[in-house]
Amino acid sequence: QVQLVESGGGLVQPGGSLRLSCAASGSIFSLRAMGWYRQAPGKQRELVATITSLGGTDYADSVQGRFTISSDNAKGMVYLQMNSLKPEDAAVYYCNARDNVRVFWGQGTQVTVSS
């Protein structure tokens, strides 16, 4: 089993930056990938960025060039650096992790982008 705890959300003005962190605990060495998803009110949860245990990354087109995902596998940490934030980036951001069989989710952290 793996537990995920997100932190770093908050209120930021358009154009600003935030850094989200996710701490994984439990069977972290079984994980094959970690990532971030987000869900805005009235919308489906969508992929933001993922990173594999070998360091391969993937980004949603909407955040490419503005967001950067990174990880520290030994510590079970994954980060999301978000720059040039837009109002449409506002959502609850969820940490995600998967092993060969299962998918794990954190509780989410709110990101609000408003002036």
Side-chain angles (χ1 to χ4, degrees):
Q1 194 71 6
V2 173
Q3 296 78 41
L4 303 172
V5 178
E6 303 97 335
S7 61
L11 172 64
V12 63
Q13 292 185 343
S17 298
L18 277 177
R19 188 190 193 214
L20 305 183
S21 299
C22 174
S25 60
S27 303
I28 62 173
F29 294 106
S30 69
L31 296 177
R32 294 296 174 258
M34 297 183 72
W36 293 92
Y37 286 69
R38 67 187 181 187
Q39 187 168 18
K43 295 186 177 182
Q44 290 188 333
R45 190 173 298 189
E46 62 176 2
L47 169 72
V48 177
T50 60
I51 185 166
T52 70
S53 57
L54 298 179
T57 59
D58 189 28
Y59 294 91
D61 289 344
S62 59
V63 307
Q64 184 78 42
R66 299 188 296 122
F67 291 11
T68 302
I69 190 170
S70 60
S71 65
D72 184 333
N73 293 336
K75 296 182 178 179
M77 296 293 298
V78 64
Y79 308 97
L80 185 68
Q81 178 66 43
M82 305 186 294
N83 298 328
S84 302
L85 282 160
K86 304 176 181 180
E88 52 263 42
D89 294 317
V92 178
Y93 282 70
Y94 295 92
C95 182
N96 166 279
R98 63 178 191 269
D99 60 19
N100 286 334
V101 177
R102 298 167 295 180
V103 178
F104 307 96
W105 293 95
Q107 293 299 307
T109 184
Q110 178 72 50
V111 172
T112 303
V113 184
S114 175
S115 55

